[in-house]
Amino acid sequence: MINLELEKFTLPGLEDKRPLVIAGPCSAETEEQVMEVATDLKSRGIKIFRAGIWKPRTRPNTFEGVGEAGLPWLKRVQKELGLYTSTEVANAKHVYEALKHGVDILWIGARSTANPFAVQEIADALRGVDIPVMIKNPINPDVELWLGAIERINQAGIKRIAAIHRGFSAYDKKIYRNIPQWHIPIELRRKVRDLPIICDPSHIGGKRELIAPISQQAMDLNFDGLIIESHNCPEKAISDAAQQITPETLEYILSKLVLREITGTTEPLNELRKQIDELDNDLMAILAKRMRVAREIGTYKKENNMTILQTTRYDEILNNRISQGEKMGLSSEFMSRMLKSIHEESIRHQAEIMNEKEG
Ligand code: PEP
Ligand code: MN
């Protein structure tokens, strides 16, 4: 467990209820667009507005945000509509500009969190300022790097901190734009107990249809809040058009969320958990046994001068097991990840045998 000096992540007048919702467009595009979305969101009960002013884009020559010119628009949202405002900062200049214009909450984007120099620069610019800061996970699934960024910001004196889970970059974007790897935010929560975690289903999913199921999953995993991209005309958005939803859709999705009890240690639940414990024990015993057999194969291959990896055999195992698993209700994605991981461990065992010094 890591102890950070944290205070409750809140602002005056914000109701203490789950989920904390932050909504607004990916990018502030024009003053009219900002005011229109914010007005609509306010009428649907949203209290915190998001809009990117400086946009980190993967490729050059794409829209990189309106820059400082958009900050007075956020000021209008705050003054005229009474919403809290939030935006992304990626360097010290962004921090100074955002603070000068009275932005209420800052966030650090995924690309910045991956870079300790950038995070430290932001932390130094924030020293002596009391403002809530949200820290997105780094693009790579590295809980230590995420935690490091949180510690840097905390050590600069920022006490109201929340983490944002926005998924992790993957070469193979089959379902998600950024694969969720839920165990990473869960691990972060285990390491820093009091840290609120907000889910960003927009950047995880990359498409509108996934926002509702990912939000529900986040609630089922006890996440504290949701940050959701919302635009008055999603299809025409200049950035991230495929994943934005109208304020109306947002209101609908939020109204359908099922919020289950966080703590529940009822008898039936304890009983089920006991079963899970036992099954995990069985799983480990079987895996250990499988590794012992793999070692025997390693000995045999060594004595007969054969290589460890035999691709056709491995392909055969993968294909057979995946279709067998599917018949048993296990997804092919899960089966493939699990088998690869077991295979890696078997190879490690066999390599150990192969490289053992004789006598
Ligand atoms: C964003 O929130 O619009 C954004 C750029 O997100 P991320 O840093 O998660 O890619
Ligand atoms: Mn975006």
Side-chain angles (χ1 to χ4, degrees):
M1 274 261 294
I2 297 198
N3 280 319
L4 300 182
E5 245 189 85
L6 296 175
E7 280 171 11
K8 196 166 177 48
F9 188 87
T10 189
L11 282 160
L14 271 191
E15 233 185 308
D16 186 12
K17 81 172 208 280
R18 204 171 72 98
L20 174 79
V21 179
I22 301 161
C26 176
S27 306
E29 298 170 6
T30 64
E31 186 163 5
E32 295 67 42
Q33 170 245 12
V34 165
M35 291 311 290
E36 194 179 325
V37 190
T39 306
D40 199 348
L41 287 170
K42 184 193 163 134
S43 76
R44 297 170 197 280
I46 300 298
K47 304 273 191 273
I48 310 174
F49 184 72
R50 65 149 281 159
I53 293 288
W54 300 280
K55 301 302 299 178
R57 303 321 293 176
T58 305
R59 310 281 303 275
N61 311 321
T62 52
F63 178 64
E64 295 192 316
V66 293
E68 277 161 57
L71 290 168
W73 311 341
L74 295 188
K75 191 82 201 169
R76 272 192 73 192
V77 169
Q78 188 191 58
K79 285 277 161 300
E80 293 174 28
L81 302 171
L83 295 184
Y84 283 119
T85 56
S86 63
T87 201
E88 171 174 350
V89 288
N91 58 37
K93 185 168 175 292
H94 295 168
V95 172
Y96 298 135
E97 288 298 330
L99 293 176
K100 198 167 83 190
H101 288 83
V103 175
D104 299 291
I105 303 175
L106 305 177
W107 84 75
I108 298 179
R111 292 158 196 77
S112 304
T113 305
N115 175 1
F117 289 129
V119 176
Q120 194 56 52
E121 179 182 324
I122 295 168
D124 292 341
L126 282 170
R127 209 168 284 280
V129 182
D130 182 18
I131 187 171
V133 177
M134 308 188 287
I135 300 162
K136 287 196 164 196
N137 62 258
I139 45 180
N140 49 327
D142 183 342
V143 75
E144 291 295 315
L145 196 55
W146 196 0
L147 187 58
I150 292 164
E151 287 174 313
R152 284 178 199 275
I153 297 300
N154 190 231
Q155 283 174 15
I158 298 291
K159 299 208 169 76
R160 284 175 293 170
I161 297 181
I164 300 179
H165 169 229
R166 50 75 83 195
F168 303 89
S169 292
Y171 176 66
D172 189 3
K173 300 187 195 318
K174 252 199 216 129
I175 302 173
Y176 303 103
R177 174 178 177 189
N178 293 301
I179 41 175
Q181 308 220 49
W182 295 100
H183 60 281
I184 303 255
I186 290 169
E187 178 66 11
L188 181 70
R189 153 128 325 142
R190 219 177 48 76
K191 284 181 189 274
V192 195
R193 274 294 147 77
D194 306 326
L195 183 73
I197 306 187
I198 294 168
C199 177
D200 175 347
S202 311
H203 290 91
I204 292 177
K207 30 185 161 341
R208 288 182 255 295
E209 308 78 75
L210 290 179
I211 298 206
I214 297 170
S215 300
Q216 184 59 54
Q217 196 163 354
M219 290 301 100
D220 293 341
L221 290 169
N222 297 346
F223 277 53
D224 303 275
L226 295 167
I227 178 165
I228 299 183
E229 288 188 340
S230 183
H231 194 287
N232 49 334
C233 192
E235 307 76 26
K236 297 220 170 76
I238 306 181
S239 56
D240 290 351
Q243 71 195 34
Q244 304 212 49
I245 53 175
T246 60
E248 189 184 0
T249 308
L250 175 70
E251 186 180 33
Y252 178 77
I253 290 176
L254 294 177
S255 75
K256 292 286 172 203
L257 281 181
V258 182
L259 294 173
R260 299 180 172 96
E261 279 290 320
I262 291 189
T263 47
T265 44
T266 57
E267 241 348 275
L269 189 58
N270 281 341
E271 195 44 56
L272 290 169
R273 284 181 174 155
K274 231 183 277 159
Q275 281 188 42
I276 293 282
D277 291 346
E278 280 166 25
L279 289 168
D280 280 350
N281 277 336
D282 292 352
L283 267 178
M284 284 183 283
I286 289 188
L287 283 172
K289 193 165 164 191
R290 194 187 190 283
M291 294 309 153
R292 283 197 293 276
V293 177
R295 291 180 84 91
E296 276 181 43
I297 294 181
T299 309
Y300 179 85
K301 284 180 181 165
K302 185 181 184 180
E303 284 166 7
N304 294 281
N305 213 19
M306 294 159 84
T307 60
I308 295 183
L309 187 65
Q310 291 175 345
T311 316
T312 35
R313 163 74 183 149
Y314 179 49
D315 281 348
E316 212 177 271
I317 291 194
L318 266 184
N319 294 335
N320 285 346
R321 307 282 198 272
I322 288 176
S323 62
Q324 209 179 328
E326 273 183 316
K327 284 188 201 117
M328 296 164 83
L330 301 166
S331 76
S332 61
E333 200 196 328
F334 166 73
M335 283 301 295
S336 140
R337 260 190 289 136
M338 183 190 70
L339 291 167
K340 278 184 187 143
S341 173
I342 292 177
H343 188 240
E344 256 172 45
E345 179 68 1
S346 297
I347 287 186
R348 191 183 67 75
H349 279 280
Q350 293 193 8
E352 231 173 61
I353 300 273
M354 298 285 234
N355 298 317
E356 255 170 18
K357 295 254 178 322
E358 315 283 311

